[in-house]
DNA sequence: CCTTGAGCTCAAGTGGGCTTCAAGTTGCAG
DNA sequence: CTGCAACTTGAAGCCCACTTGAGCTCAAGG
């Protein structure tokens, strides 16, 4: 049982195309050792990184943001507990935000069955009050961006 | 209080650029009436659609998928309760999937503080058993795509 | 009436995230 | 030691989701 994977093996195990894996490496998300003949050899731990990357992507996080998060992870040397606390805190906030957004969207859709309209106003839209009265009455999007 | 919004007003309220709103219309995600002079006038309800679109996008759902979901919504006529049940069911599954993914990722990150490595294997990776033994031992990504 | 800002269309450009292609090299099985 | 699949790089191409620009029209105030 070798503990280094070829790019083909990593691809097979992760379900991610070799071209994408090379791309991730160029973008600084993945690391690989090289053989004498210049072929990539991945440590097993890289599989976890790939998992992290794909899952994060699936919930709408950009490669750049993922890269930033992964930057504070071990790259041969062991990270300090402080590094970890830092990363986890940061990432947790982003994830919590998304989870909240999704849960509200889902619950709102559920609450909408039978009402005949997409009643998102209750939780997704909010009228922050009189400071927007100049633009006239009505709800405004309470979603960033 | 007029009940039709110009594209500029819809943009201001939703935080979405007018160019994006026109794009959404071309893609079939949004509808607008026209004035005699060919300018767009949006019903207030379109704000809800925009909210739905942006939130869905933020959690990694493509415009095409969003369009499909919105297709079963009222476009002047009232949808049947069956339409709603259908849409909500479909969408709920997608959202549940994403929520589960996010929650596991978040909790796993939390569980990782102090251990010195990104221990995602416990929940994100799984070894589905012997049917993959031919490719050698080890975990495989249990994430679609 | 005239100006000015908001809106219109169509076409081209942009950036992210890859995939594909061409042309050459490596590494393992026989 | 040979043959062939798997690997290498670099450049170009592709799809999505917009944005930008040119050149025009519309609508409301002075």
């Amino acid at each position: 049982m070798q503990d280094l994977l070829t790019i083909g093996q990593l691809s097979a195990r992760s379900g991610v195309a070799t071209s994408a894996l090379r791309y991730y490496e160029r973008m600084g998300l993945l690391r690989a050792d090289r053989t004498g003949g210049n072929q990539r050899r991945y440590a097993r731990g890289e599989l976890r990184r790939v998992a992290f990357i794909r899952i994060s992507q699936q919930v709408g996080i950009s490669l750049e943001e993922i890269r930033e998060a992964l930057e504070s992870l071990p790259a041969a040397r062991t990270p300090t507990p402080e590094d970890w606390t830092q990363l986890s805190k940061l990432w947790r906030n982003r994830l919590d935000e998304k989870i909240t957004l999704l849960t509200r969207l889902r619950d709102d859709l559920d609450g909408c069955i039978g009402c005949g309209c997409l009643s998102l106003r209750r939780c997704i839209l909010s009228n922050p009050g009189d400071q927007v009265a100049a633009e006239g009455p009505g709800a405004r999007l309470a979603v960033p961006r």
Side-chain angles (χ1 to χ4, degrees), chain A:
Chain A
M1 170 189 174
Q2 78 269 6
D3 47 28
L4 288 179
L5 299 168
T6 66
I7 194 168
Q9 288 166 338
L10 184 58
S11 172
R13 295 229 165 152
S14 64
V16 175
T18 58
S19 57
L21 295 174
R22 290 195 195 95
Y23 178 74
Y24 292 159
E25 190 176 328
R26 276 212 311 289
M27 297 296 109
L29 282 91
L30 237 42
R31 300 188 134 273
D33 294 335
R34 297 296 181 122
T35 63
N38 197 36
Q39 294 195 358
R40 288 169 181 84
R41 288 299 179 268
Y42 294 94
R44 273 183 184 279
E46 296 302 285
L47 194 46
R48 291 178 193 151
R49 280 183 169 245
V50 178
F52 181 81
I53 293 167
R54 296 306 274 206
I55 291 171
S56 302
Q57 261 197 318
Q58 269 186 52
V59 294
I61 301 173
S62 71
L63 287 188
E64 174 57 21
E65 288 180 284
I66 298 169
R67 195 193 54 73
E68 279 166 25
L70 286 176
E71 223 159 45
S72 37
L73 284 188
R77 60 194 153 276
T78 315
T80 69
E82 290 79 40
D83 290 338
W84 277 99
T85 309
Q86 185 82 0
L87 166 66
S88 184
K89 245 190 217 154
L90 196 101
W91 211 237
R92 196 184 213 289
N93 284 345
R94 294 194 64 41
L95 297 182
D96 277 343
E97 257 174 46
K98 301 236 175 225
I99 291 170
T100 303
L101 219 51
L102 272 167
T103 306
R104 291 200 304 197
L105 184 59
R106 183 195 62 187
D107 292 348
D108 225 32
L109 274 178
D110 272 7
C112 193
I113 298 180
C115 81
C117 73
L118 192 53
S119 170
L120 291 169
R121 192 169 44 143
R122 189 175 71 256
C123 52
I124 291 170
L125 300 176
S126 78
N127 189 336
D130 285 356
Q131 80 271 22
V132 289
E135 303 169 43
R140 266 150 205 86
L141 263 184
V143 173
R145 219 160 308 172

